[in-house]
Amino acid sequence: MSKKQLKLGAFFSLPGQHFASWRFPTTQPERSLDLDYFIELAKIAERGKFDTIFFADGFGQELEENSPSGIKLDPIIIQSALAAVTKNIGLVATVTTSYNEPFQLARKFIGIDHLSKGRAAWNVVTSNSAKEAPLFGRDKHLAHAERYERAGEFVDVVKKLWQSIDKEALVIDKESGKYLDLTKVHPVNHEGKWFKVKGTLDAPTSPQGHPVVVQAGSSEAGKELAARTADVVFTAWQTLEEAQAFYRDLKGRLAKYGRNPEDLKIMPGVFITVAKTEEEAIAKRNELNSYILPEVGLKYLSFFYGADLTGYDVEGPLPEHYDVEDETNPNIRANIVRDIAKRNNIKTIRELYEFIGGGRGHREIVGTPEQIADQLQEWFENDAADGFNVLPPTFPDGLNDIVDLVIPELQRRGIFRTEYEGTTLRENLGLKIPTSSEQNLTVKQ
Amino acid sequence: MSKKQLKLGAFFSLPGQHFASWRFPTTQPERSLDLDYFIELAKIAERGKFDTIFFADGFGQELEENSPSGIKLDPIIIQSALAAVTKNIGLVATVTTSYNEPFQLARKFIGIDHLSKGRAAWNVVTSNSAKEAPLFGRDKHLAHAERYERAGEFVDVVKKLWQSIDKEALVIDKESGKYLDLTKVHPVNHEGKWFKVKGTLDAPTSPQGHPVVVQAGSSEAGKELAARTADVVFTAWQTLEEAQAFYRDLKGRLAKYGRNPEDLKIMPGVFITVAKTEEEAIAKRNELNSYILPEVGLKYLSFFYGADLTGYDVEGPLPEHYDVEDETNPNIRANIVRDIAKRNNIKTIRELYEFIGGGRGHREIVGTPEQIADQLQEWFENDAADGFNVLPPTFPDGLNDIVDLVIPELQRRGIFRTEYEGTTLRENLGLKIPTSSEQNLTVKQ
């Protein structure tokens, strides 16, 4: 293949990215705790030659009478299980840096990386939900700047631990009785503001060096953290121009950390509703909206819009007011949603929650396989994206539609693989295997 | 089946319980990070109808040139993966209460319990290795009493979280749009000496109510913790009389917590070397000893004996001195090993490390299937054990030998299952499903 290849992640927001998807006739919300369900879906994504299965996370969410969003399993556990029943696809699990210890996290991800033979990825996030802190004995979450400072140091420590035993250290010579070459062990001796960690991990570097690091921050602190430490960035942009500006900005930050533009893959999210005809696709998209209960729509929009809309008339106009941003929580999502309303000339509350009810802030494309491929290709070939995190509206149907209709069209155009390039996630993403010396460049002591 | 049935765990101390097992010709120490290896071994244990696969844990161990003991993967990750490829066997993972958060641990185990459809178990331990503390920013580990106090509160919080959402809370009615019955949600509001946790888990109770709780403490604090909170106790005794005394003692402590003797299964460890003839079994056991390098034997014995033996003549006598116990570390293991030396009239250092090199403090039986079954049956029928944690000398051969020779003999005697009783671990162990009301009895606010 000579043409540049795009990368695709499958975002597993089960039972679907659309927030009323659980009421859609063919989704299976009753299987949200069922391993066979995860396995079936993972195999669909692997059939589509996706680079990754991506699980978001967040806990301490309010349990809601009308929504499945508060019920879920730890992505680490799901991805470990999927490692045993998949062959090629990358396994991205989101884990917060705010309520974990670097050693425990490093150990779990290197474990998945070994068991999957080099297919693990960690999506690094910070916790900003008010409900998470009380689960860990705290009254409130850390301020934005502190969270990112902690996250940066956390990633540094994790990477050091991941590289604390070279895989060549394992000699394992039964004859002489020599098991380990201690000269290839590099104990971590980290003393920072947030963490003090001395010792080594108990597993050597994995087949892909260490797990892939994914991030999603779009704030200034988030972009710096990504430029310094991430292999993949998951982001949300509505227009080509915005996405290009972000792409240029972030790629431009790499050089100062001794990195090249191709060392970081930028993959915006895209919510795709596809069908053989445009009419059919639009009908499917509209049907999803018909399942949004008004009180649920108001609740979601309150969250996304940054204003309490409880009791508002859904047919009424959008309110002018919204919550003032504070330093613990720059409301990037609310800015995106308010821009969406303006740009699309949206007048009523119902119109807005129906509009964002699918992508939840991500770009949305509805149409035929050709229309969707055109739009993906435009971004891909105009320095707006190295690939996409695809958000299917429903599972399994929405994912199957993408695999059966969109993927073949991308393959026909020669911009997406027909077979996996390698056995590790880094090979498939076109990322090089990190070495200890590179670590010294990107991770400062 | 009318006869009382014994319970059997397979202790996965890979590549074998004997500490030179990695040098034995048929072991596969080079596969210690390989999922296919774990799967093959798990399937052997499941073929043998074992109740559980048991993974010990401990990190921050000294990496040793001549031993694989410092290299391993997180048991949580291994057991999650095995959940996807096994059907009936229970999955016991050891996790310390000293360097974890109850919420994170509760969430991981409930995840494995859901994915495995009710086969998860948590072996509760405390950390007493001097090398663990520096991995978590601490200079030294907690004193014994504090560790157990923390462990007790930790288990309480975890159990509350595991039962914070009844499985009946999941209504999932697409038609009406009602997903959750909030009256069946029981937020935790815990404020204790060690933890402050407010909120709920994000998964409901699992098919077996919640994961099985395993413990191994034999100290006074350990026994009280087990009596109050454990479903299974893993323990180490050399003689019938000692085991009977422990069994009587621990079962006798249950009533004050509102529990019945059958609510707690006591399963001593037993190191088994079996062959069709006694001579063959003894030869196999001796062959294992031939792989112990003297410097490794000295090192291990130093640890078990509680005295630094570096530089001692292995053919020389056992030293009189040993480390004084301190309150951070009552040296129960050293007492057992010194008793073994006395009871068996062991004179030299080599004799002792060869003697304990297999069971590492656990009871050892070498012989024919009949001889082994006789000894297991004696303990089982004389109130010394409800079953056993079987420690195979090597993997896969040692485990295969037990499955092919010992299990059929136990089945012939009618004291071990020929088919699993149920699909959950609690059904197989004969434990009832915990309910919220029982939780109130055993877990005091």
Side-chain angles (χ1 to χ4, degrees):
Chain A
M1 287 185 289
S2 54
K3 253 188 177 172
K4 191 171 66 145
Q5 300 292 299
L6 62 77
K7 307 303 169 192
L8 291 179
F11 193 77
F12 271 38
S13 48
L14 308 178
Q17 175 69 11
H18 189 284
F19 68 72
S21 59
W22 76 273
R23 300 188 62 205
F24 193 79
T26 61
T27 59
Q28 302 167 323
E30 71 286 357
R31 299 183 72 195
S32 65
L33 309 165
D34 178 357
L35 177 58
D36 299 328
Y37 177 60
F38 297 119
I39 294 174
E40 284 168 30
L41 300 179
K43 293 199 167 177
I44 298 170
E46 201 162 45
R47 176 165 65 81
K49 313 290 178 207
F50 275 89
D51 289 86
T52 58
I53 295 163
F54 192 115
F55 278 93
D57 197 29
F59 32 76
Q61 279 173 266
E62 195 177 347
L63 294 171
E64 294 175 49
E65 193 173 358
N66 300 316
S67 156
S69 65
I71 300 292
K72 63 187 129 17
L73 300 181
D74 190 317
I76 292 247
I77 299 303
I78 300 172
Q79 298 289 38
S80 306
L82 291 180
V85 289
T86 53
K87 283 276 170 248
N88 292 95
I89 203 158
L91 306 164
V92 189
T94 301
V95 182
T96 181
T97 53
S98 300
Y99 304 111
N100 276 296
E101 287 281 351
F103 180 84
Q104 297 286 15
L105 181 139
R107 195 172 183 236
K108 288 185 172 54
F109 276 100
I110 204 88
I112 304 177
D113 216 25
H114 278 290
L115 294 190
S116 66
K117 298 180 171 61
R119 298 185 285 125
W122 170 33
N123 179 35
V124 181
V125 298
T126 71
S127 292
N128 67 353
S129 150
K131 299 243 169 197
E132 288 189 40
L135 292 165
F136 302 95
R138 301 185 207 175
D139 294 329
K140 55 181 205 135
H141 60 74
L142 294 170
H144 185 267
E146 285 185 301
R147 288 204 307 274
Y148 271 85
E149 187 186 75
R150 181 182 161 103
E153 194 181 323
F154 197 115
V155 175
D156 290 351
V157 176
V158 166
K159 286 191 176 182
K160 289 180 198 177
L161 286 166
W162 280 342
Q163 299 187 311
S164 58
I165 304 176
D166 297 346
K167 65 169 177 277
E168 295 75 20
L170 275 70
V171 179
I172 315 183
D173 180 15
K174 288 190 180 200
E175 194 53 47
S176 69
K178 181 162 175 165
Y179 182 86
L180 208 62
D181 178 352
L182 293 172
T183 67
K184 299 200 168 107
V185 172
H186 317 290
V188 173
N189 188 3
H190 175 93
E191 241 178 281
K193 178 175 165 187
W194 293 90
F195 304 104
K196 205 170 108 183
V197 177
K198 292 182 202 305
T200 68
L201 213 59
D202 46 9
T205 54
S206 63
Q208 64 170 346
H210 66 61
V212 166
V213 174
V214 183
Q215 272 164 244
S218 297
S219 65
E220 187 60 27
K223 283 188 282 195
E224 275 306 298
L225 180 61
R228 186 167 73 78
T229 69
D231 298 305
V232 173
V233 165
F234 179 29
T235 180
W237 301 108
Q238 293 289 322
T239 69
L240 177 65
E241 295 69 31
E242 283 171 341
Q244 285 173 322
F246 178 82
Y247 189 94
R248 207 161 43 235
D249 175 1
L250 190 50
K251 296 264 180 178
R253 293 173 194 243
L254 295 170
K256 72 176 169 228
Y257 298 110
R259 307 181 69 197
N260 298 314
E262 64 273 18
D263 295 342
L264 177 68
K265 306 298 175 192
I266 298 178
M267 298 169 70
V270 57
F271 176 82
I272 292 175
T273 310
V274 63
K276 285 186 180 137
T277 67
E278 194 177 345
E279 295 65 35
E280 207 189 322
I282 292 169
K284 210 186 294 183
R285 179 67 182 81
N286 286 338
E287 183 185 351
L288 273 162
N289 282 345
S290 74
Y291 298 113
I292 306 177
L293 295 175
E295 63 268 31
V296 177
L298 283 171
K299 187 153 194 172
Y300 270 78
L301 192 58
S302 297
F303 170 71
F304 280 97
Y305 198 74
D308 182 4
L309 304 177
T310 317
Y312 274 62
D313 176 5
V314 299
E315 309 304 347
L318 291 162
E320 287 299 315
H321 80 278
Y322 46 80
D323 298 347
V324 177
E325 295 183 37
D326 67 37
E327 56 100 34
T328 71
N329 200 15
N331 208 336
I332 289 173
R333 206 187 309 251
N335 291 333
I336 293 173
V337 169
R338 284 181 235 122
D339 281 354
I340 288 174
K342 217 173 288 171
R343 186 178 301 122
N344 298 283
N345 200 24
I346 288 171
K347 297 291 179 212
T348 71
I349 286 176
R350 182 198 293 272
E351 279 178 79
L352 184 55
Y353 72 60
E354 289 186 350
F355 195 98
I356 65 156
R360 309 192 201 188
H362 287 281
R363 178 187 183 202
E364 171 160 358
I365 318 178
V366 182
T368 65
E370 295 72 25
Q371 287 171 319
I372 287 161
D374 284 350
Q375 291 209 41
L376 297 182
Q377 196 167 4
E378 185 189 20
W379 282 35
F380 178 57
E381 291 178 348
N382 287 286
D383 290 341
D386 298 312
F388 301 92
N389 253 311
V390 174
L391 313 157
T394 62
F395 290 85
D397 285 11
L399 177 62
N400 264 321
D401 290 344
I402 291 164
V403 168
D404 293 333
L405 300 172
V406 179
I407 298 288
E409 179 59 29
L410 295 171
Q411 289 168 333
R412 251 189 306 276
R413 296 175 187 207
I415 56 172
F416 189 63
R417 69 170 68 85
T418 53
E419 281 308 327
Y420 285 101
E421 291 84 359
T423 57
T424 70
L425 178 55
R426 285 185 187 276
E427 285 172 274
N428 291 324
L429 287 174
L431 293 166
K432 56 187 183 213
I433 290 181
T435 63
S436 300
S437 63
E438 276 170 88
Q439 183 205 12
N440 293 337
L441 277 176
T442 58
V443 183
K444 288 159 195 161
Q445 290 281 344
Chain B
M1 287 184 290
S2 54
K3 253 186 174 174
K4 192 172 66 146
Q5 299 292 300
L6 61 77
K7 308 301 168 190
L8 291 179
F11 193 77
F12 270 40
S13 48
L14 308 176
Q17 174 70 10
H18 189 284
F19 69 72
S21 59
W22 78 273
R23 300 186 64 204
F24 193 79
T26 60
T27 59
Q28 302 166 325
E30 71 286 359
R31 299 183 73 196
S32 66
L33 309 165
D34 177 357
L35 179 57
D36 300 328
Y37 177 58
F38 297 119
I39 295 175
E40 286 168 28
L41 300 179
K43 294 200 166 175
I44 298 171
E46 202 162 44
R47 175 164 66 79
K49 314 290 180 206
F50 275 90
D51 289 86
T52 59
I53 296 163
F54 191 116
F55 277 94
D57 197 28
F59 32 76
Q61 280 173 265
E62 194 177 348
L63 294 170
E64 293 174 49
E65 193 172 0
N66 299 317
S67 157
S69 65
I71 300 293
K72 63 186 128 17
L73 300 181
D74 190 317
I76 291 248
I77 298 304
I78 299 172
Q79 298 289 37
S80 307
L82 291 181
V85 289
T86 52
K87 282 278 170 246
N88 292 98
I89 203 159
L91 306 164
V92 190
T94 301
V95 182
T96 181
T97 53
S98 301
Y99 304 111
N100 276 296
E101 287 280 351
F103 181 84
Q104 297 285 16
L105 180 139
R107 194 171 183 237
K108 288 184 170 59
F109 276 99
I110 204 86
I112 303 178
D113 216 25
H114 277 291
L115 295 190
S116 65
K117 299 180 171 58
R119 296 185 287 124
W122 169 33
N123 179 35
V124 181
V125 298
T126 72
S127 292
N128 67 353
S129 150
K131 299 242 170 195
E132 289 189 37
L135 292 164
F136 301 95
R138 302 186 207 173
D139 294 328
K140 59 182 200 131
H141 61 77
L142 293 170
H144 184 267
E146 284 185 301
R147 289 205 308 274
Y148 272 85
E149 187 187 74
R150 181 181 161 103
E153 193 181 324
F154 197 115
V155 175
D156 290 350
V157 176
V158 166
K159 286 191 175 182
K160 289 180 197 176
L161 286 165
W162 279 343
Q163 300 188 311
S164 59
I165 305 176
D166 297 345
K167 64 169 180 280
E168 295 75 20
L170 275 74
V171 178
I172 316 184
D173 179 16
K174 287 189 181 201
E175 195 52 48
S176 69
K178 180 160 175 166
Y179 182 85
L180 207 62
D181 178 353
L182 293 173
T183 67
K184 300 202 169 102
V185 172
H186 317 289
V188 174
N189 188 3
H190 175 94
E191 240 177 281
K193 178 174 165 187
W194 293 90
F195 304 105
K196 204 170 107 181
V197 177
K198 292 181 201 306
T200 68
L201 213 60
D202 46 9
T205 54
S206 64
Q208 63 169 347
H210 65 62
V212 167
V213 174
V214 183
Q215 272 166 243
S218 298
S219 66
E220 187 59 28
K223 283 187 282 194
E224 276 305 298
L225 181 60
R228 187 167 71 78
T229 69
D231 298 306
V232 173
V233 164
F234 179 29
T235 180
W237 301 108
Q238 294 289 320
T239 67
L240 177 65
E241 294 69 33
E242 283 172 341
Q244 285 172 323
F246 178 82
Y247 189 93
R248 207 162 40 235
D249 174 0
L250 190 50
K251 297 265 180 175
R253 292 174 194 242
L254 295 170
K256 70 176 170 226
Y257 298 111
R259 307 181 71 198
N260 299 314
E262 64 273 19
D263 294 343
L264 176 68
K265 306 298 175 192
I266 298 178
M267 298 169 70
V270 56
F271 177 80
I272 292 175
T273 310
V274 64
K276 284 188 181 132
T277 66
E278 193 178 343
E279 296 64 38
E280 208 189 321
I282 292 170
K284 210 189 291 182
R285 180 66 184 81
N286 286 337
E287 184 184 350
L288 274 161
N289 281 345
S290 74
Y291 298 114
I292 306 176
L293 295 175
E295 63 268 31
V296 176
L298 282 171
K299 187 153 195 176
Y300 270 79
L301 192 58
S302 297
F303 171 70
F304 280 96
Y305 198 74
D308 182 4
L309 304 177
T310 318
Y312 274 62
D313 176 3
V314 299
E315 310 303 348
L318 292 162
E320 286 300 314
H321 80 278
Y322 46 81
D323 297 349
V324 177
E325 296 181 37
D326 67 36
E327 57 98 37
T328 72
N329 201 17
N331 208 334
I332 289 173
R333 207 187 309 251
N335 291 334
I336 293 173
V337 168
R338 284 181 238 126
D339 281 351
I340 289 174
K342 216 171 292 171
R343 187 176 301 124
N344 297 282
N345 200 23
I346 288 171
K347 298 291 181 211
T348 72
I349 286 176
R350 181 198 293 272
E351 278 178 81
L352 184 55
Y353 72 61
E354 289 188 348
F355 195 97
I356 65 156
R360 307 192 202 188
H362 287 280
R363 179 186 181 201
E364 171 161 359
I365 318 179
V366 183
T368 64
E370 294 73 25
Q371 289 172 319
I372 287 162
D374 284 348
Q375 292 209 41
L376 298 182
Q377 195 167 2
E378 185 189 18
W379 283 36
F380 177 57
E381 292 179 347
N382 288 285
D383 290 342
D386 298 312
F388 302 93
N389 254 310
V390 174
L391 313 157
T394 62
F395 289 86
D397 286 9
L399 177 61
N400 264 322
D401 290 343
I402 291 164
V403 167
D404 294 334
L405 300 173
V406 179
I407 298 287
E409 179 60 28
L410 295 172
Q411 289 168 332
R412 250 190 306 277
R413 295 176 187 207
I415 56 170
F416 190 62
R417 69 170 65 86
T418 51
E419 281 309 328
Y420 285 100
E421 291 84 0
T423 57
T424 70
L425 179 54
R426 282 184 191 277
E427 286 173 273
N428 291 324
L429 287 174
L431 293 166
K432 56 188 183 215
I433 292 182
T435 64
S436 301
S437 63
E438 276 172 87
Q439 185 204 12
N440 292 335
L441 278 176
T442 59
V443 183
K444 287 161 197 159
Q445 291 280 343

